[in-house]
């Protein structure tokens, strides 16, 4: 947002979330031609986005013979480099009140390509440049020009577990801490220490981050290792806060709400590529959360048709697509963490659990853990809760706990190891 016209041609550093990444294509940097008459090779260096191919030979031999030999472009002799275009969007935290997030086009070349995928939070250092229009477009644009960022370095904010670089010092610290008998309680208490209670839920969320063991049988059968959890409970028991904390902690965490997401938005959509005008697949929230956690809030308010699209993801961990001539299967090896309210807004103790939960049996059977978080009136418990909340609001920090909560980076490294 602070990048202005004064920064054109200068080195700038921007951060944002990647919304789109085109496939990597070869871009020609040196074109090689061969002459029909004399066989001389001629080289043309290309600096701009477009170039005019040479047609006549300019070699000494052709000039001596006074003939203009035709040139043929040699693909084998030309030099190409990898080129990718990505779009980044401003982070929600940086958007001023009442504004919409801005987007920026990034041109990536060489080794920096494929460094970021849609959904990653990245910091990009590069040169801010205008797009030179050619021909008719230049007449239409007049004095105005579009801009792009020529990327030099791309840094990812959150690394995936397999990309996490663990030094010997971190490994020694983790192994020393692992000898503690209460490390399980310490890690669980470090997930969201500002939320009072819910110890069992925090332990379950820690197990969801760690995940189980994926099994592949000799006959090719696949048994998932990811754990799915559903938090069902009264309003105001910090379900959404826990979902946000897990989405922030997980290396690939996607947070979405039931009302604001459609079945296509969760799985995959067929869109038209603005550059090549071809039909292409764009992954939804569950595909972006591959090897991570997908948090779905307000799960009970989702439409029934949209909820059925999650069935395949939760059991087979794939998304099958057959749309517009595209038939494919995408990986969605994600743990699903859902939060929902009971049927009547609050849990009605006079009704059975099945009547209160009101989710289809086919969907409930796919959740490994289902927590009922009830807000029961209790003078002592409510007093402790009120004391905790007032302390958090007064000091902007959580009250002293039995264990000092571990840092987020340590928990992330511990889970990845």
């Amino acid at each position: 947002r602070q990048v202005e016209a004064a920064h054109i041609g200068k080195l700038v550093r921007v951060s944002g979330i990647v919304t789109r990444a085109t496939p990597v294509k070869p871009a020609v940097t040196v074109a090689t031609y061969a002459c029909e008459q004399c066989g001389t090779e001629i080289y043309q260096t290309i600096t701009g986005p477009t170039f005019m191919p040479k047609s006549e030979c300019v070699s000494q031999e052709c000039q001596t013979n006074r003939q203009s030999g035709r040139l043929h472009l040699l693909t084998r002799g030309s030099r190409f480099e990898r080129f990718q275009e990505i779009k980044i969007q401003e982070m929600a935290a940086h958007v001023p009140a009442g504004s919409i997030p801005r987007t920026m086009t990034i041109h990536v070349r060489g080794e920096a390509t494929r460094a970021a995928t849609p959904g990653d939070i990245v910091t990009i250092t590069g040169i801010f440049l205008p797009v030179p229009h050619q021909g008719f477009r230049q007449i239409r644009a007049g004095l105005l020009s579009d801009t792009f960022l020529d990327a030099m370095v791309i840094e990812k904010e959150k690394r995936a577990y397999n990309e996490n670089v663990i030094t010997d010092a971190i490994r020694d610290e983790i192994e020393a801490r692992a000898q503690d008998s209460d490390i399980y309680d310490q890690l669980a208490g470090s997930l969201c220490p500002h939320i009072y209670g819910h110890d069992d839920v925090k332990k379950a969320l820690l197990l969801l981050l760690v995940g189980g063991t994926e099994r592949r049988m000799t006959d090719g059968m696949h048994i998932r290792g990811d754990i799915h959890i559903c938090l069902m409970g009264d309003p105001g028991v910090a379900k959404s806060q826990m979902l946000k904390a897990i989405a922030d902690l997980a290396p690939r965490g996607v947070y979405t709400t039931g009302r604001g997401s459609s079945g296509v938005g969760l799985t995959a959509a067929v869109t038209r590529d603005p550059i090549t005008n071809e039909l292409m697949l764009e992954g939804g929230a569950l595909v972006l959360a591959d090897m991570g956690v997908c948090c779905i809030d307000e799960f009970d308010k989702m439409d029934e048709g949209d909820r059925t699209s999650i069935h395949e993801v939760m059991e087979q961990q794939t998304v099958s697509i057959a749309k517009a001539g595209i038939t494919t299967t995408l990986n969605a090896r994600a743990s699903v963490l859902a939060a929902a309210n009971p049927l009547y807004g609050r849990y009605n103790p006079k009704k059975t659990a099945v009547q209160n939960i009101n989710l289809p049996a086919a969907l409930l059977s796919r959740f490994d853990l289902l927590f009922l978080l009830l807000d029961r009136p209790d003078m002592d418990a409510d007093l402790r809760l009120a004391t905790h909340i007032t302390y958090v609001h007064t000091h902007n920090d959580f009250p002293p706990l039995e264990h000092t909560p571990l840092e987020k980076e340590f928990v992330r490294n511990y889970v990845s190891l």
Side-chain angles (χ1 to χ4, degrees):
R1 192 170 279 272
Q2 277 84 38
V3 180
E4 297 166 352
H7 294 105
I8 284 180
K10 295 181 180 173
L11 194 71
V12 294
R13 186 182 171 92
V14 292
S15 64
I17 185 162
V18 180
T19 54
R20 167 176 286 162
T22 62
V24 177
K25 291 184 176 170
V28 66
T29 52
V30 178
T32 308
Y33 303 93
C35 176
E36 269 185 354
Q37 304 288 342
C38 60
T40 311
E41 285 193 351
I42 293 167
Y43 302 100
Q44 181 186 11
T45 309
I46 291 144
T47 52
T50 55
F51 75 104
M52 188 71 184
K54 292 188 176 183
S55 56
E56 288 191 2
C57 181
V58 291
S59 69
Q60 192 66 43
E61 195 174 327
C62 277
Q63 284 176 1
T64 309
N65 297 339
R66 294 190 177 178
Q67 57 188 14
S68 55
R70 284 177 59 203
L71 296 177
H72 285 292
L73 183 66
L74 293 179
T75 315
R76 284 176 65 184
S78 301
R79 180 173 286 177
F80 296 87
E81 70 171 355
R82 288 182 286 182
F83 175 81
Q84 186 182 24
E85 187 175 294
I86 62 176
K87 268 201 161 57
I88 65 164
Q89 185 178 299
E90 202 174 2
M91 297 290 293
H94 303 159
V95 181
S99 303
I100 57 168
R102 291 189 183 175
T103 57
M104 185 184 272
T105 306
I106 316 287
H107 288 184
V108 191
R109 300 169 198 280
E111 292 300 313
T113 53
R114 293 196 182 96
T117 51
D120 289 341
I121 297 166
V122 292
T123 304
I124 299 174
T125 309
I127 301 164
F128 191 53
L129 295 169
V131 179
H133 287 302
Q134 303 280 329
F136 179 66
R137 276 194 182 173
Q138 194 169 6
I139 299 165
R140 258 176 65 188
L143 299 173
L144 307 175
S145 73
D146 297 328
T147 52
F148 69 95
L149 190 74
D150 201 4
M152 303 289 159
V153 182
I154 296 180
E155 298 165 39
K156 278 166 97 168
E157 203 95 337
K158 284 190 200 169
R159 291 203 171 105
Y161 289 137
N162 52 3
E163 295 172 1
N164 217 351
V165 179
I166 294 178
T167 59
D168 291 337
I170 296 171
R171 192 181 290 273
D172 293 343
E173 188 191 354
I174 288 173
E175 285 174 356
R177 284 279 176 89
Q179 302 304 320
D180 290 355
S181 55
D182 57 350
I183 184 68
Y184 180 38
D185 297 326
Q186 280 186 39
L187 286 166
S190 307
L191 287 187
C192 18
H194 55 278
I195 294 172
Y196 175 76
H198 296 319
D199 296 332
D200 289 340
V201 180
K202 289 178 184 178
K203 286 178 182 176
L205 294 178
L206 177 65
L207 295 179
L208 173 124
L209 282 172
V210 175
T213 312
E214 198 176 329
R215 302 279 183 207
R216 285 200 180 276
M217 305 298 166
T218 47
D219 59 350
M221 187 176 145
H222 167 247
I223 299 172
R224 66 178 166 89
D226 293 311
I227 299 167
H228 303 312
I229 296 178
C230 181
L231 306 178
M232 173 79 66
D234 296 334
V237 289
K239 298 190 296 294
S240 300
Q241 290 285 356
M242 283 195 271
L243 260 68
K244 283 256 171 80
I246 293 298
D248 184 43
L249 186 67
R252 283 187 83 87
V254 176
Y255 178 86
T256 176
T257 57
R259 248 304 152 220
S261 30
S262 61
V264 172
L266 284 171
T267 51
V270 176
T271 55
R272 204 170 277 282
D273 189 5
I275 302 164
T276 57
N277 217 21
E278 295 173 358
L279 286 172
M280 57 179 278
L281 271 179
E282 212 165 271
L286 288 161
V287 178
L288 292 181
D290 187 29
M291 304 301 283
V293 181
C294 182
C295 304
I296 307 172
D297 207 356
E298 310 290 352
F299 195 57
D300 54 314
K301 313 221 176 18
M302 277 179 81
D303 293 333
E304 196 54 52
D306 300 336
R307 218 184 278 154
T308 49
S309 59
I310 306 175
H311 285 219
E312 184 198 357
V313 175
M314 290 179 73
E315 205 48 65
Q316 268 70 47
Q317 302 207 297
T318 54
V319 174
S320 301
I321 299 287
K323 293 178 186 173
I326 299 171
T327 309
T328 183
T329 304
L330 305 172
N331 282 329
R333 295 155 295 187
S335 301
V336 176
L337 173 59
N341 292 113
L343 177 61
Y344 308 99
R346 289 182 71 88
Y347 191 86
N348 188 349
K350 292 176 184 171
K351 304 266 185 187
T352 62
V354 176
Q355 289 170 323
N356 271 294
I357 290 167
N358 191 38
L359 286 175
L363 195 60
L364 273 182
S365 68
R366 284 169 165 81
F367 282 111
D368 304 298
L369 290 169
L370 178 71
F371 283 98
L372 284 174
L373 308 174
L374 305 184
D375 186 9
R376 291 203 182 95
D378 180 1
M379 185 68 188
D380 298 337
D382 289 349
L383 185 66
R384 286 198 298 274
L385 177 61
T387 312
H388 180 96
I389 291 170
T390 48
Y391 187 96
V392 169
H393 280 254
T394 312
H395 299 86
N396 283 344
D397 200 4
F398 44 83
L401 304 169
E402 290 176 34
H403 312 290
T404 308
L406 307 167
E407 291 177 6
K408 266 188 193 176
E409 202 55 46
F410 177 80
V411 176
R412 210 174 277 155
N413 288 332
Y414 195 98
V415 170
S416 65
L417 196 63

